Amino acid sequence: MKKLPIKSLPPSKALGAEISQDPFDLLAPVLKSFSFHHPKDEVGPIEEAWKVAKEKHEGQFRASGEPYISHPLGVAQILADLGSDRQVVMAGLLHDTVEDTDYSLEECRRQFGETASLVEGVTKLSLISKELSNAETIRKLILAMQQDVRVGVVKLADRLYNARTWRFMPPKKAAKKAGETLDIYVPLADRLGMGIVKSELEELSFKYLDPKIYKKVVEMVGARAGVRDEYLEKMMGEVKASLKSYGIKAKITGRLKSYFSIYRKIVLLKKNFDRIYDFVGIRVVVDSPQNCYRALGIIHEKWLPVPGRFKDYIAMPKSNLYQALHTTILGDGGQEIEIQIRTEEMHKEDEYGIAAHWKYKEKEDFGSPEWVGRMANWVKDLQDPSEILPALKSDLTSEEISIFTPKGETIFLPEGACPLDFAYAVHTEIGNRAVGAKINGIPSSLSSKLKSGDCVEILTSQSGSSGPSYEWLSFVITPKAKNKIKRFLSQEKNLEAAQKGKKALMAYMLDRGIPFSLPSLVHASSALGFSTLQQLYYAVGNGKISCFAVSRAVFRSKASGEGSESEKYSVTVKGVEKGERIELARCCKPVPGDQIAGFITNFRGVRIHSTRCPDFVRLSEENPGKIVDAQWKGEKGEFEAEIEVLALDRQALLVDLSLAISNACVDLSSSRQKVAANLVSAYFSFKFRDFPQLELVIKSLEQVEGVIGVKRVGG
Ligand code: MN
């Protein structure tokens, strides 16, 4: 992201603070603030949104006794003060209309267009279980942020306004909200770089989550304020003087650490409160990055730096773009004191983050930062909603480390991640096939802990004989890796059960001489309420349905009719009239050896599909009555197939793949490739005579070095 100069913005805690003096024009301060940031933009639509919101919330009241409209108005004021664009300010005014009034989303979209999507993103889901709907609402928020990151900013403004009014809530309920805010919204504000919103939310949450400790901290800090201020004053003077003697102009401010960060130090880091100097810091603001480093040198020359505390976020910015130099020195009297050095731009970036960029955007591009996409991807996949909040919390709150791929790309992972987390972050297939890793060139185990700056290479197995195990779950820490491993394991278990069920069922029916065919099984399974045959097998395997019940259903659904044959393709179809037109389906291009079935189309006779074809599976779910039995008569002919090869990219890969195909004596008709990260998906279409020849092609492709998997498209 390009850094731009940032005009004067309101100071912290003043966000949304201005209240109209005129009771008949409550919107005035919002418009004033909006026009200050966007002098050329029309305010008409904002007034429209205000009218609708006021009318819809008429007669509703907040817990504080105020008219409800004070809330959307306050949220819009916070957003306007952040410098948000018009749609965001409008969304602030309208954000509760769809949830709490008879105003529908469709109406909102008709009246306000795009703004409706922002409103939709922050609207709560109302499910029966409160816990569930909370988790699902946050899942929805994250997914909406992937489309438009501004949704997150509207939600944060909403939460900030509400946090300021927690005193009107029963203490228990407020504490619960505060906990959720610390777990999810504070880290979200941090990721979006909105330091100003983050610290106020943090402070309010602490106050309501643990009022007793909060009061204690406030008292203790107050009691020592005199000594602390004196010391801080003195140190600031000395820093200023030494920078000045080298000709560096700097703005120096004392930084009282927030009550929350003091609390964190005492409770989580178990520090002694009497070392109060830990709780002050000095911030040095200079005019250029070069002078940041010069200032650092001068300070380190005069005072001893505490080892291990220097961090260079200018050369290596955090993923939220935060930049500054951090160091801790032993000040006068041997007291540790933290110093942050940054430029004015870096300072504004820290306070306003993503919001700081809006005014200067030339194109409308509200695509989300990379981490939102990553988060959205695993959030989408999570099947058990009760896992959403804990997983989100751990993803959001962990410190990030940056890991490099062998090609030099950066991948951000939470602290404590291992090479296996890295593998899954790169690609699921690489994770599933991982057998070992090299960290900075040195062979290491998949479970070793990574450090920021490590370069990691993952060794994968070709055979697929290894693979995810329950043990892996004990050392990966990222939700994505956990998800994918669990999914792999449960699929494997389901597959096993389904295979067991299939065998048992076949044996049962063969034993008793019950005639059956695939279509009759498909019929039976849909008659029994299963959506796929696989699910029926699975149920049999797990003992949820007896073989007797299935065979009875099969017996009843047996297709009847004389049957038809195709001249061209050597296929016989049962259960249709003689002479019925028969064609091979183009989606899966079945070949002799495939298990097939017919689907009676409306006007074009019978289409023959492979029973594994996804289209066929869908059709048989939708219209089980149109499925008929089909068999191959002979095995020769001319057939076409498309094959997908998934392989790790390397030199001359495509040449080797083409060679493997021509070795099997087939005619290649077309090929295409896709490359993503380190993986190539290559597709080859060709004509062949019979099934053994097709198998030969697949076998020889599988032998090519680097190939992960070979499969028939649609087959
Ligand atoms: Mn609200």
Side-chain angles (χ1 to χ4, degrees), residues 534-590:
Q534 207 61 24
Q535 281 179 12
L536 173 77
Y537 292 149
Y538 178 66
V540 173
N542 272 341
K544 294 214 174 81
I545 187 167
S546 68
C547 290
F548 171 71
V550 179
S551 47
R552 197 176 49 188
V554 168
F555 200 70
R556 284 186 186 151
S557 68
K558 196 80 188 97
S560 62
E562 222 186 304
S564 174
E565 289 187 5
S566 159
E567 293 292 307
K568 199 166 144 202
Y569 298 112
S570 341
V571 173
T572 47
V573 178
K574 283 194 194 129
V576 293
E577 308 228 331
K578 227 180 181 139
E580 181 70 82
R581 201 167 126 203
I582 296 172
E583 295 277 344
L584 296 187
R586 263 178 237 135
C587 46
C588 53
K589 301 179 184 121

Side-chain angles (χ1 to χ4, degrees), residues 71 95-96 158:
H71 165 65
H95 80 271
D96 275 335
D158 179 39

Side-chain angles (χ1 to χ4, degrees), residues 51-330:
K51 255 185 231 153
V52 170
K54 216 166 43 173
E55 188 195 309
K56 291 292 169 187
H57 288 298
E58 185 71 58
Q60 297 178 334
F61 293 89
R62 299 274 295 174
S64 62
E66 282 180 292
Y68 194 91
I69 193 67
S70 61
H71 165 65
L73 182 68
V75 171
Q77 184 75 57
I78 292 170
L79 290 167
D81 287 349
L82 279 168
S84 308
D85 62 44
R86 192 168 59 204
Q87 281 182 340
V88 172
V89 175
M90 286 161 65
L93 290 169
L94 295 166
H95 80 271
D96 275 335
T97 51
V98 173
E99 189 176 314
D100 293 335
T101 78
D102 63 356
Y103 196 51
S104 74
L105 199 60
E106 292 72 49
E107 239 175 308
C108 183
R109 195 172 299 280
R110 223 174 317 139
Q111 237 176 323
F112 299 107
E114 262 305 281
T115 303
S117 310
L118 295 174
V119 174
E120 186 186 5
V122 295
T123 297
K124 270 198 207 109
L125 291 170
S126 47
L127 300 175
I128 308 144
S129 141
K130 255 210 147 159
E131 287 302 312
L132 269 192
S133 73
N134 201 9
E136 291 291 357
T137 297
I138 290 177
R139 168 165 19 208
K140 187 177 141 215
L141 174 75
I142 301 287
L143 295 181
M145 280 176 66
Q146 190 186 19
Q147 301 304 313
D148 187 336
V149 72
R150 298 177 300 170
V151 172
V153 179
V154 176
K155 184 71 205 176
L156 283 171
D158 179 39
R159 182 50 61 114
L160 179 58
Y161 184 97
N162 285 335
R164 286 171 177 172
T165 56
W166 279 340
R167 63 180 180 282
F168 299 110
M169 252 187 202
K172 257 200 179 149
K173 200 172 163 198
K176 203 165 168 244
K177 289 269 173 196
E180 183 193 71
T181 304
L182 275 184
D183 284 349
I184 307 288
Y185 295 101
V186 164
L188 205 56
D190 184 42
R191 287 285 175 89
L192 291 171
M194 301 167 71
I196 178 174
V197 173
K198 176 197 161 203
S199 47
E200 192 178 343
L201 281 178
E202 213 166 48
E203 220 46 35
L204 286 164
S205 301
F206 171 32
K207 188 168 162 186
Y208 289 94
L209 191 63
D210 217 331
K212 276 191 204 135
I213 298 187
Y214 180 80
K215 218 175 132 223
K216 187 81 198 152
V217 170
V218 174
E219 272 172 26
M220 293 200 290
V221 170
R224 288 159 177 80
V227 190
R228 177 200 64 201
D229 287 354
E230 219 170 274
Y231 177 72
L232 189 59
E233 206 59 41
K234 187 167 152 269
M235 281 302 292
M236 280 164 55
E238 286 184 30
V239 169
K240 187 163 189 113
S242 43
L243 293 182
K244 201 176 167 194
S245 69
Y246 284 90
I248 295 181
K249 259 195 223 141
K251 232 194 288 171
I252 298 184
T253 46
R255 212 164 50 84
L256 300 185
K257 293 210 173 150
S258 71
Y259 294 136
F260 178 75
S261 65
I262 293 170
Y263 163 73
R264 184 157 50 196
K265 280 203 173 163
I266 298 171
V267 176
L268 302 181
L269 306 177
K270 301 192 168 54
K271 286 224 177 171
N272 188 344
F273 190 86
D274 278 327
R275 299 182 60 197
I276 47 161
Y277 302 101
D278 266 0
F279 308 141
V280 293
I282 291 179
R283 185 171 284 149
V284 177
V285 178
V286 294
D287 58 0
S288 71
Q290 291 74 22
N291 276 342
C292 290
Y293 290 103
R294 285 184 62 206
L296 178 80
I298 294 161
I299 290 167
H300 277 184
E301 195 189 49
K302 180 154 175 155
W303 292 280
L304 209 57
V306 179
R309 297 287 293 276
F310 169 64
K311 296 219 169 80
D312 184 350
Y313 294 118
I314 294 182
M316 296 248 287
K318 291 192 189 177
S319 62
N320 66 6
L321 302 180
Y322 177 84
Q323 287 190 302
L325 301 176
H326 288 191
T327 186
T328 301
I329 55 162
L330 286 177

